[in-house]
Amino acid sequence: MTDDYSKLKSEIMGLVSEEFLKTKDDIISVMIENNKLKTAELVIGNDSLPPPPPIPSIIKVEHTTTTTTTTHNIDDLPPPPPPIEEEEEVEEEEQLQQNIEQQQQTQDESDDYYKTVHPLGIQDTYEDEEYFSSYSKISLHHEMVFDKRRTAAYYHAISKSKNIFKDKVVLDVGCGTGILSCFVAKAGAKKVYAVDASDMAHRAELIVQQNGLADIVTVFKGKLEHIAFPEYVDVIVSEWQGSFLIFESMIESVIYARDNLMKPGGIILPSKASIYLSPINVESFYNQYINQWSNVFNLDMSPLIPFAQEELLDEKTIRNYYVDNTDSVLDKPIILRTIDLSTITIEDLSKTIKTFEFQVPNGSKYHGFGAWFSVWFENLDDDDDDDDDDHDNNNDNDNDDDENKKQFAYYTIDRDGELVKSTYEQYSIDSKALTPMFFKQSSNVLELSTAPGTGDQHWKQVLFLNSKEKILQSSDKQLDTTSIKGTIRILQNKDYRRHWWIEMYVSLKTTPFDYTYQKYLI
Protein backbone atom coordinates (compact mmCIF):
# COMPACT_ATOMS: atom_id res chain seq x y z
CA MET A 1 0.00 0.00 0.00
CA THR A 2 2.87 2.30 0.75
CA ASP A 3 4.33 1.77 -2.74
CA ASP A 4 0.96 2.38 -4.34
CA TYR A 5 0.52 5.54 -2.36
CA SER A 6 4.00 6.77 -3.34
CA LYS A 7 3.26 6.09 -7.00
CA LEU A 8 -0.02 7.98 -6.74
CA LYS A 9 1.74 10.91 -5.12
CA SER A 10 4.41 10.89 -7.78
CA GLU A 11 1.74 10.92 -10.50
CA ILE A 12 -0.05 13.85 -8.87
CA MET A 13 3.23 15.78 -8.58
CA GLY A 14 3.47 15.80 -12.33
CA LEU A 15 0.00 17.23 -12.74
CA VAL A 16 -0.33 19.93 -10.07
CA SER A 17 1.79 22.63 -8.48
CA GLU A 18 3.80 21.94 -5.37
CA GLU A 19 1.63 24.32 -3.35
CA PHE A 20 -1.56 22.57 -4.44
CA LEU A 21 0.06 19.17 -3.86
CA LYS A 22 0.06 19.58 -0.13
CA THR A 23 -3.70 19.96 -0.14
CA LYS A 24 -4.15 16.89 -2.34
CA ASP A 25 -1.76 14.92 -0.15
CA ASP A 26 -3.79 15.74 2.94
CA ILE A 27 -7.03 14.78 1.22
CA ILE A 28 -5.70 11.40 0.11
CA SER A 29 -4.33 10.64 3.58
CA VAL A 30 -7.68 11.37 5.19
CA MET A 31 -9.56 9.32 2.64
CA ILE A 32 -7.27 6.31 3.12
CA GLU A 33 -7.60 6.56 6.88
CA ASN A 34 -11.39 6.63 6.53
CA ASN A 35 -11.30 3.62 4.13
CA LYS A 36 -12.83 5.74 1.36
CA LEU A 37 -10.28 4.35 -1.11
CA LYS A 38 -9.33 0.70 -1.48
CA THR A 39 -5.77 -0.43 -2.03
CA ALA A 40 -6.61 -1.84 -5.44
CA GLU A 41 -7.93 1.53 -6.60
CA LEU A 42 -4.52 3.13 -5.94
CA VAL A 43 -2.75 1.28 -8.69
CA ILE A 44 -1.11 3.84 -10.91
CA GLY A 45 -2.22 3.76 -14.50
CA ASN A 46 -5.27 1.59 -13.79
CA ASP A 47 -7.90 2.75 -16.26
CA SER A 48 -10.55 1.08 -14.13
CA LEU A 49 -10.32 3.78 -11.46
CA PRO A 50 -13.83 4.91 -10.64
CA PRO A 51 -14.82 8.50 -11.50
CA PRO A 52 -14.58 11.00 -8.65
CA PRO A 53 -17.62 11.10 -6.41
CA PRO A 54 -20.06 14.00 -6.87
CA ILE A 55 -19.33 17.09 -4.78
CA PRO A 56 -21.55 17.00 -1.72
CA SER A 57 -23.46 20.06 -0.44
CA ILE A 58 -21.02 20.54 2.37
CA ILE A 59 -18.51 23.17 3.36
CA LYS A 60 -15.18 22.14 4.83
CA VAL A 61 -13.85 24.08 7.80
CA GLU A 62 -10.19 23.54 8.63
CA HIS A 63 -8.90 24.25 12.12
CA THR A 64 -5.28 25.27 12.47
CA THR A 65 -5.05 23.74 15.93
CA THR A 66 -6.09 20.21 14.93
CA THR A 67 -5.79 17.81 12.05
CA THR A 68 -9.49 16.88 12.07
CA THR A 69 -11.92 18.21 9.50
CA THR A 70 -15.50 19.18 10.40
CA THR A 71 -18.30 19.39 7.88
CA HIS A 72 -21.59 21.30 8.09
CA ASN A 73 -24.61 21.38 5.86
CA ILE A 74 -24.74 24.76 4.06
CA ASP A 75 -28.48 25.09 4.63
CA ASP A 76 -27.90 24.96 8.39
CA LEU A 77 -25.38 27.82 8.39
CA PRO A 78 -26.38 31.50 8.79
CA PRO A 79 -25.57 33.81 5.88
CA PRO A 80 -22.05 35.20 6.11
CA PRO A 81 -21.64 38.83 7.24
CA PRO A 82 -20.60 41.35 4.56
CA PRO A 83 -16.86 42.07 4.37
CA ILE A 84 -15.65 44.80 6.73
CA GLU A 85 -14.15 46.82 3.88
CA GLU A 86 -17.51 46.99 2.14
CA GLU A 87 -19.15 48.26 5.34
CA GLU A 88 -16.59 51.04 5.58
CA GLU A 89 -17.13 51.95 1.93
CA VAL A 90 -20.91 52.09 2.47
CA GLU A 91 -20.48 54.30 5.54
CA GLU A 92 -18.13 56.63 3.64
CA GLU A 93 -20.59 56.88 0.76
CA GLU A 94 -23.47 57.65 3.14
CA GLN A 95 -21.39 60.33 4.91
CA LEU A 96 -20.39 61.85 1.59
CA GLN A 97 -24.02 61.95 0.48
CA GLN A 98 -25.02 63.63 3.75
CA ASN A 99 -22.29 66.26 3.27
CA ILE A 100 -23.46 66.93 -0.28
CA GLU A 101 -27.06 67.31 0.90
CA GLN A 102 -25.99 69.71 3.67
CA GLN A 103 -23.94 71.77 1.22
CA GLN A 104 -26.85 71.84 -1.19
CA GLN A 105 -29.16 73.00 1.59
CA THR A 106 -26.75 75.81 2.45
CA GLN A 107 -26.46 76.68 -1.24
CA ASP A 108 -30.22 76.78 -1.57
CA GLU A 109 -30.48 79.16 1.37
CA SER A 110 -27.84 81.41 -0.17
CA ASP A 111 -29.55 81.22 -3.56
CA ASP A 112 -32.89 82.19 -2.03
CA TYR A 113 -31.30 85.24 -0.43
CA TYR A 114 -29.66 86.48 -3.61
CA LYS A 115 -32.73 85.71 -5.72
CA THR A 116 -34.83 88.08 -3.64
CA VAL A 117 -32.30 90.70 -2.55
CA HIS A 118 -29.29 90.90 -4.87
CA PRO A 119 -29.97 92.68 -8.19
CA LEU A 120 -27.56 90.43 -10.05
CA GLY A 121 -29.16 87.20 -8.88
CA ILE A 122 -27.38 83.99 -7.86
CA GLN A 123 -23.64 84.17 -7.46
CA ASP A 124 -20.84 81.63 -7.68
CA THR A 125 -20.17 80.39 -4.15
CA TYR A 126 -16.67 79.22 -5.08
CA GLU A 127 -15.44 82.77 -4.68
CA ASP A 128 -16.88 82.91 -1.17
CA GLU A 129 -14.94 79.77 -0.27
CA GLU A 130 -11.74 81.27 -1.63
CA TYR A 131 -12.49 84.63 0.01
CA PHE A 132 -13.18 83.29 3.49
CA SER A 133 -10.24 80.91 3.25
CA SER A 134 -7.91 83.88 2.70
CA TYR A 135 -9.27 85.56 5.83
CA SER A 136 -8.30 82.53 7.90
CA LYS A 137 -4.62 83.49 7.56
CA ILE A 138 -2.89 85.30 10.42
CA SER A 139 -0.68 87.22 7.98
CA LEU A 140 -3.68 89.00 6.47
CA HIS A 141 -4.98 90.02 9.89
CA HIS A 142 -1.51 91.14 10.90
CA GLU A 143 -1.57 93.59 7.99
CA MET A 144 -4.93 95.00 9.11
CA VAL A 145 -4.54 95.03 12.89
CA PHE A 146 -1.09 96.62 12.75
CA ASP A 147 -2.21 99.22 10.24
CA LYS A 148 -1.95 101.81 12.98
CA ARG A 149 -4.13 104.45 11.31
CA ARG A 150 -6.91 101.98 10.59
CA THR A 151 -7.00 100.35 14.02
CA ALA A 152 -6.47 103.66 15.86
CA ALA A 153 -9.47 105.16 14.04
CA TYR A 154 -11.76 102.36 15.23
CA TYR A 155 -10.28 102.36 18.73
CA HIS A 156 -10.82 106.10 19.23
CA ALA A 157 -14.22 106.16 17.51
CA ILE A 158 -15.49 103.37 19.77
CA SER A 159 -13.85 104.75 22.91
CA LYS A 160 -15.48 108.13 22.24
CA SER A 161 -18.91 106.56 21.70
CA LYS A 162 -19.71 105.31 25.18
CA ASN A 163 -23.09 107.06 24.94
CA ILE A 164 -23.83 104.89 21.90
CA PHE A 165 -22.66 101.55 23.32
CA LYS A 166 -23.65 101.76 27.00
CA ASP A 167 -25.97 98.84 27.84
CA LYS A 168 -26.63 98.18 24.14
CA VAL A 169 -26.67 94.99 22.07
CA VAL A 170 -24.06 95.21 19.31
CA LEU A 171 -23.33 93.20 16.16
CA ASP A 172 -19.77 93.05 14.80
CA VAL A 173 -20.01 92.07 11.11
CA GLY A 174 -16.87 90.28 9.91
CA CYS A 175 -15.20 90.32 13.32
CA GLY A 176 -11.92 88.71 12.22
CA THR A 177 -9.70 88.52 15.31
CA GLY A 178 -12.47 90.03 17.44
CA ILE A 179 -10.53 93.19 18.20
CA LEU A 180 -13.45 95.55 17.50
CA SER A 181 -15.79 93.39 19.59
CA CYS A 182 -13.38 93.69 22.50
CA PHE A 183 -13.21 97.48 22.04
CA VAL A 184 -17.02 97.62 22.07
CA ALA A 185 -17.32 95.42 25.16
CA LYS A 186 -14.90 97.69 27.02
CA ALA A 187 -16.92 100.72 25.89
CA GLY A 188 -19.90 99.46 27.92
CA ALA A 189 -21.94 97.24 25.61
CA LYS A 190 -24.32 94.84 27.34
CA LYS A 191 -23.92 92.13 24.69
CA VAL A 192 -21.80 91.76 21.55
CA TYR A 193 -22.40 89.21 18.79
CA ALA A 194 -19.23 88.77 16.75
CA VAL A 195 -19.67 87.05 13.38
CA ASP A 196 -17.10 85.78 10.91
CA ALA A 197 -17.42 83.15 8.18
CA SER A 198 -13.72 82.28 8.16
CA ASP A 199 -11.89 79.98 10.58
CA MET A 200 -10.52 83.10 12.26
CA ALA A 201 -13.74 83.03 14.28
CA HIS A 202 -12.25 80.18 16.34
CA ARG A 203 -9.19 82.34 17.09
CA ALA A 204 -11.42 85.28 17.99
CA GLU A 205 -13.07 83.12 20.63
CA LEU A 206 -9.67 82.52 22.21
CA ILE A 207 -8.90 86.25 22.24
CA VAL A 208 -12.25 87.08 23.82
CA GLN A 209 -11.68 84.44 26.51
CA GLN A 210 -8.09 85.56 27.09
CA ASN A 211 -9.25 89.11 27.81
CA GLY A 212 -12.03 88.09 30.20
CA LEU A 213 -14.86 89.26 27.93
CA ALA A 214 -16.58 85.93 27.23
CA ASP A 215 -19.59 86.91 29.35
CA ILE A 216 -20.23 89.85 26.97
CA VAL A 217 -18.92 88.73 23.57
CA THR A 218 -20.34 85.67 21.80
CA VAL A 219 -18.62 84.57 18.60
CA PHE A 220 -20.56 82.99 15.73
CA LYS A 221 -18.75 81.12 12.96
CA GLY A 222 -20.65 81.28 9.67
CA LYS A 223 -22.14 83.56 7.05
CA LEU A 224 -24.19 86.30 8.62
CA GLU A 225 -27.12 85.67 6.29
CA HIS A 226 -27.38 82.05 7.49
CA ILE A 227 -27.31 82.64 11.26
CA ALA A 228 -30.34 83.00 13.54
CA PHE A 229 -29.47 85.42 16.34
CA PRO A 230 -31.24 85.35 19.71
CA GLU A 231 -32.26 89.03 19.56
CA TYR A 232 -32.23 92.21 17.48
CA VAL A 233 -29.31 94.58 17.90
CA ASP A 234 -29.06 98.30 18.67
CA VAL A 235 -25.73 98.98 16.97
CA ILE A 236 -23.76 97.52 14.05
CA VAL A 237 -19.99 97.85 13.88
CA SER A 238 -17.96 96.69 10.92
CA GLU A 239 -14.68 97.26 9.14
CA TRP A 240 -16.09 96.43 5.70
CA GLN A 241 -13.98 98.76 3.55
CA GLY A 242 -11.87 97.27 0.77
CA SER A 243 -9.60 98.71 -1.87
CA PHE A 244 -11.48 101.43 -3.79
CA LEU A 245 -13.81 101.29 -0.77
CA ILE A 246 -16.25 98.78 -2.31
CA PHE A 247 -13.90 95.98 -3.44
CA GLU A 248 -14.84 92.66 -1.75
CA SER A 249 -18.46 93.89 -1.46
CA MET A 250 -18.51 93.15 2.26
CA ILE A 251 -20.81 96.15 2.64
CA GLU A 252 -23.62 93.88 1.36
CA SER A 253 -23.54 91.94 4.64
CA VAL A 254 -23.76 95.21 6.59
CA ILE A 255 -26.80 96.22 4.54
CA TYR A 256 -28.38 92.82 5.19
CA ALA A 257 -27.74 93.17 8.93
CA ARG A 258 -29.25 96.66 8.93
CA ASP A 259 -32.42 95.52 7.15
CA ASN A 260 -32.94 92.22 8.99
CA LEU A 261 -31.18 92.30 12.35
CA MET A 262 -31.10 95.90 13.61
CA LYS A 263 -33.84 97.57 15.64
CA PRO A 264 -35.55 100.63 14.12
CA GLY A 265 -33.49 103.73 14.81
CA GLY A 266 -30.30 101.71 15.28
CA ILE A 267 -26.81 103.08 14.64
CA ILE A 268 -24.11 101.88 12.23
CA LEU A 269 -20.41 102.67 12.65
CA PRO A 270 -18.90 103.96 10.47
CA SER A 271 -22.01 105.77 9.28
CA LYS A 272 -20.92 107.42 6.01
CA ALA A 273 -18.31 106.98 3.29
CA SER A 274 -17.18 108.54 0.04
CA ILE A 275 -14.90 107.76 -2.94
CA TYR A 276 -12.83 110.47 -4.66
CA LEU A 277 -11.10 110.74 -8.04
CA SER A 278 -8.53 113.15 -9.42
CA PRO A 279 -5.84 113.29 -12.15
CA ILE A 280 -2.47 112.49 -10.67
CA ASN A 281 1.27 112.78 -11.15
CA VAL A 282 3.13 109.71 -9.88
CA GLU A 283 6.52 110.27 -11.44
CA SER A 284 8.08 108.45 -8.51
CA PHE A 285 6.22 105.26 -9.51
CA TYR A 286 7.28 105.52 -13.14
CA ASN A 287 10.89 106.14 -12.16
CA GLN A 288 10.92 103.20 -9.77
CA TYR A 289 9.17 100.59 -11.91
CA ILE A 290 9.47 101.76 -15.53
CA ASN A 291 12.22 104.29 -16.28
CA GLN A 292 14.75 102.62 -13.98
CA TRP A 293 15.48 100.08 -16.73
CA SER A 294 17.24 102.80 -18.73
CA ASN A 295 20.44 102.46 -16.73
CA VAL A 296 21.32 99.40 -14.65
CA PHE A 297 24.96 99.42 -13.53
CA ASN A 298 25.86 101.31 -16.72
CA LEU A 299 23.91 98.86 -18.88
CA ASP A 300 21.17 100.14 -21.17
CA MET A 301 18.24 97.79 -20.43
CA SER A 302 15.62 100.10 -21.94
CA PRO A 303 14.31 97.36 -24.30
CA LEU A 304 12.50 96.06 -21.20
CA ILE A 305 10.57 99.31 -20.70
CA PRO A 306 7.69 98.51 -23.10
CA PHE A 307 7.33 95.08 -21.49
CA ALA A 308 7.23 96.66 -18.04
CA GLN A 309 4.58 99.10 -19.27
CA GLU A 310 2.49 96.28 -20.67
CA GLU A 311 2.82 94.13 -17.56
CA LEU A 312 2.15 96.86 -15.01
CA LEU A 313 -0.02 99.45 -16.66
CA ASP A 314 -2.15 98.22 -19.57
CA GLU A 315 -5.70 98.12 -18.17
CA LYS A 316 -4.37 97.19 -14.75
CA THR A 317 -4.93 99.01 -11.48
CA ILE A 318 -2.08 99.73 -9.06
CA ARG A 319 -3.20 98.98 -5.53
CA ASN A 320 0.06 98.52 -3.65
CA TYR A 321 1.59 101.98 -4.03
CA TYR A 322 1.05 104.79 -1.55
CA VAL A 323 1.09 108.35 -2.89
CA ASP A 324 2.67 110.32 -0.10
CA ASN A 325 2.72 113.82 -1.57
CA THR A 326 -0.42 115.95 -1.80
CA ASP A 327 1.24 117.85 -4.67
CA SER A 328 0.83 114.69 -6.74
CA VAL A 329 -2.88 115.52 -7.01
CA LEU A 330 -3.25 117.77 -10.07
CA ASP A 331 -6.70 119.21 -9.38
CA LYS A 332 -9.42 119.25 -6.76
CA PRO A 333 -10.99 115.77 -6.63
CA ILE A 334 -14.56 114.98 -7.54
CA ILE A 335 -16.83 112.95 -5.29
CA LEU A 336 -17.29 109.77 -7.25
CA ARG A 337 -19.72 107.98 -4.96
CA THR A 338 -21.26 108.71 -1.56
CA ILE A 339 -22.59 106.10 0.85
CA ASP A 340 -24.98 106.66 3.73
CA LEU A 341 -25.04 103.35 5.60
CA SER A 342 -28.52 104.08 6.96
CA THR A 343 -30.12 104.20 3.50
CA ILE A 344 -27.86 102.67 0.82
CA THR A 345 -29.18 99.58 -0.96
CA ILE A 346 -27.32 96.83 -2.79
CA GLU A 347 -29.06 97.78 -6.02
CA ASP A 348 -28.14 101.46 -5.69
CA LEU A 349 -24.53 100.55 -5.06
CA SER A 350 -24.21 98.10 -7.96
CA LYS A 351 -23.83 100.81 -10.62
CA THR A 352 -22.31 104.30 -10.69
CA ILE A 353 -21.85 106.61 -13.70
CA LYS A 354 -20.13 109.97 -13.35
CA THR A 355 -18.87 112.60 -15.77
CA PHE A 356 -15.95 114.82 -14.85
CA GLU A 357 -13.81 117.70 -16.01
CA PHE A 358 -10.51 118.77 -14.53
CA GLN A 359 -8.29 121.74 -15.31
CA VAL A 360 -4.60 120.91 -14.98
CA PRO A 361 -1.76 123.47 -15.31
CA ASN A 362 0.07 123.35 -18.65
CA GLY A 363 3.37 121.55 -18.49
CA SER A 364 2.17 119.12 -15.83
CA LYS A 365 3.23 115.51 -16.03
CA TYR A 366 0.00 113.54 -16.18
CA HIS A 367 0.08 109.80 -15.51
CA GLY A 368 -3.58 108.94 -15.06
CA PHE A 369 -6.03 109.01 -12.15
CA GLY A 370 -5.89 108.24 -8.47
CA ALA A 371 -8.81 107.20 -6.27
CA TRP A 372 -9.11 107.15 -2.47
CA PHE A 373 -11.86 107.17 0.15
CA SER A 374 -12.89 108.36 3.58
CA VAL A 375 -15.25 106.97 6.20
CA TRP A 376 -16.87 108.91 9.03
CA PHE A 377 -17.92 107.98 12.56
CA GLU A 378 -20.63 110.34 13.80
CA ASN A 379 -22.26 111.20 17.14
CA LEU A 380 -19.10 110.91 19.20
CA ASP A 381 -19.18 111.89 22.89
CA ASP A 382 -18.54 115.45 23.96
CA ASP A 383 -15.14 116.02 25.55
CA ASP A 384 -14.94 117.53 29.01
CA ASP A 385 -12.13 119.80 27.83
CA ASP A 386 -14.09 121.40 24.94
CA ASP A 387 -13.35 125.09 24.74
CA ASP A 388 -16.70 126.84 25.12
CA ASP A 389 -15.13 130.22 24.37
CA ASP A 390 -14.16 129.01 20.91
CA HIS A 391 -17.74 127.92 20.32
CA ASP A 392 -19.08 131.34 21.40
CA ASN A 393 -16.78 133.10 18.97
CA ASN A 394 -18.50 131.36 16.08
CA ASN A 395 -22.00 132.59 16.89
CA ASP A 396 -21.66 135.65 14.72
CA ASN A 397 -20.88 133.66 11.58
CA ASP A 398 -23.56 134.27 8.94
CA ASN A 399 -22.98 130.92 7.23
CA ASP A 400 -24.96 128.33 9.18
CA ASP A 401 -23.12 125.39 7.60
CA ASP A 402 -19.73 126.84 8.48
CA GLU A 403 -20.93 127.61 11.98
CA ASN A 404 -22.14 124.04 12.50
CA LYS A 405 -18.89 122.62 11.20
CA LYS A 406 -16.88 124.83 13.57
CA GLN A 407 -18.84 124.20 16.73
CA PHE A 408 -18.40 120.42 16.59
CA ALA A 409 -15.14 118.60 17.05
CA TYR A 410 -13.59 117.10 13.93
CA TYR A 411 -11.19 114.25 14.72
CA THR A 412 -8.69 112.70 12.34
CA ILE A 413 -5.85 110.18 12.60
CA ASP A 414 -2.39 111.48 11.76
CA ARG A 415 0.52 109.65 10.12
CA ASP A 416 1.57 108.10 13.42
CA GLY A 417 -1.87 106.82 14.31
CA GLU A 418 -2.49 109.56 16.85
CA LEU A 419 -5.86 111.23 17.36
CA VAL A 420 -5.95 114.88 16.28
CA LYS A 421 -8.77 117.21 17.30
CA SER A 422 -9.59 120.11 15.00
CA THR A 423 -12.48 121.62 13.06
CA TYR A 424 -13.63 120.63 9.62
CA GLU A 425 -12.61 124.01 8.25
CA GLN A 426 -9.09 123.76 9.59
CA TYR A 427 -8.68 120.15 8.52
CA SER A 428 -9.90 120.97 5.02
CA ILE A 429 -7.19 123.60 4.72
CA ASP A 430 -4.47 121.34 6.12
CA SER A 431 -5.39 118.43 3.86
CA LYS A 432 -5.85 120.63 0.76
CA ALA A 433 -9.51 119.63 0.60
CA LEU A 434 -8.74 116.17 -0.77
CA THR A 435 -11.76 114.63 1.03
CA PRO A 436 -14.63 117.13 0.80
CA MET A 437 -17.44 116.21 3.17
CA PHE A 438 -20.73 115.57 1.38
CA PHE A 439 -23.01 115.92 4.42
CA LYS A 440 -23.72 118.55 7.00
CA GLN A 441 -21.83 117.98 10.22
CA SER A 442 -24.29 117.85 13.12
CA SER A 443 -22.21 116.11 15.79
CA ASN A 444 -18.66 115.33 16.79
CA VAL A 445 -17.12 113.35 13.95
CA LEU A 446 -14.02 111.24 13.32
CA GLU A 447 -12.78 110.83 9.74
CA LEU A 448 -10.48 108.08 8.54
CA SER A 449 -9.00 109.20 5.22
CA THR A 450 -6.84 107.32 2.71
CA ALA A 451 -6.05 110.45 0.64
CA PRO A 452 -2.48 111.16 -0.50
CA GLY A 453 -0.40 112.77 2.22
CA THR A 454 -2.61 111.75 5.16
CA GLY A 455 -0.44 108.77 6.13
CA ASP A 456 0.10 105.26 4.82
CA GLN A 457 -2.43 102.49 5.43
CA HIS A 458 -3.02 99.02 4.01
CA TRP A 459 -5.64 100.25 1.50
CA LYS A 460 -3.14 102.64 -0.18
CA GLN A 461 -4.83 104.39 -3.13
CA VAL A 462 -6.00 102.87 -6.39
CA LEU A 463 -4.13 104.18 -9.45
CA PHE A 464 -5.49 104.02 -13.00
CA LEU A 465 -2.36 104.86 -14.98
CA ASN A 466 -1.55 105.57 -18.61
CA SER A 467 0.93 103.27 -20.31
CA LYS A 468 3.10 106.34 -20.96
CA GLU A 469 3.71 109.62 -19.23
CA LYS A 470 1.98 112.62 -20.85
CA ILE A 471 3.05 116.27 -20.56
CA LEU A 472 -0.03 118.44 -20.88
CA GLN A 473 -0.24 121.50 -23.11
CA SER A 474 -3.60 123.00 -23.97
CA SER A 475 -4.59 123.32 -27.61
CA ASP A 476 -5.83 126.81 -26.70
CA LYS A 477 -2.66 128.83 -26.27
CA GLN A 478 -4.54 131.52 -24.39
CA LEU A 479 -5.28 129.11 -21.54
CA ASP A 480 -2.92 128.25 -18.71
CA THR A 481 -4.60 124.91 -18.08
CA THR A 482 -5.42 121.79 -20.05
CA SER A 483 -8.90 120.30 -19.91
CA ILE A 484 -9.28 116.63 -18.95
CA LYS A 485 -12.85 115.47 -19.54
CA GLY A 486 -14.41 112.07 -19.36
CA THR A 487 -16.90 109.58 -18.02
CA ILE A 488 -16.37 106.81 -15.51
CA ARG A 489 -18.70 103.85 -15.05
CA ILE A 490 -18.48 101.44 -12.12
CA LEU A 491 -20.32 98.12 -12.39
CA GLN A 492 -20.44 95.17 -10.06
CA ASN A 493 -19.10 92.03 -11.75
CA LYS A 494 -22.13 89.89 -12.60
CA ASP A 495 -20.24 86.60 -12.17
CA TYR A 496 -18.12 87.41 -9.11
CA ARG A 497 -19.89 90.02 -7.02
CA ARG A 498 -16.85 90.83 -4.90
CA HIS A 499 -15.15 92.36 -7.95
CA TRP A 500 -15.98 95.52 -9.89
CA TRP A 501 -15.56 96.71 -13.47
CA ILE A 502 -14.35 100.28 -13.95
CA GLU A 503 -14.57 101.84 -17.40
CA MET A 504 -13.00 105.21 -18.17
CA TYR A 505 -13.37 107.29 -21.31
CA VAL A 506 -11.00 110.30 -21.26
CA SER A 507 -10.33 113.16 -23.68
CA LEU A 508 -7.41 115.58 -23.37
CA LYS A 509 -7.80 118.98 -25.01
CA THR A 510 -4.28 119.00 -26.41
CA THR A 511 -2.82 119.24 -29.91
CA PRO A 512 -3.85 116.84 -31.29
CA PHE A 513 -6.77 115.85 -29.10
CA ASP A 514 -6.07 112.70 -27.12
CA TYR A 515 -8.84 110.11 -26.67
CA THR A 516 -8.53 106.95 -24.58
CA TYR A 517 -10.77 104.18 -23.27
CA GLN A 518 -9.66 101.80 -20.53
CA LYS A 519 -11.46 98.99 -18.73
CA TYR A 520 -10.20 97.81 -15.35
CA LEU A 521 -11.17 95.02 -12.98
CA ILE A 522 -10.68 95.36 -9.25
Side-chain angles (χ1 to χ4, degrees), residues 448-465:
L448 172 59
S449 170
T450 65
T454 56
D456 197 4
Q457 19 63 39
H458 78 281
W459 294 288
K460 314 296 183 186
Q461 295 92 23
V462 178
L463 306 181
F464 307 92
L465 302 183

Side-chain angles (χ1 to χ4, degrees), residues 62 72 86 99 136 219 226 321 359 364 373 460 493 520:
E62 296 187 356
H72 300 280
E86 292 182 4
N99 293 342
S136 299
V219 180
H226 299 166
Y321 189 81
Q359 297 295 329
S364 298
F373 67 84
K460 314 296 183 186
N493 188 301
Y520 306 90

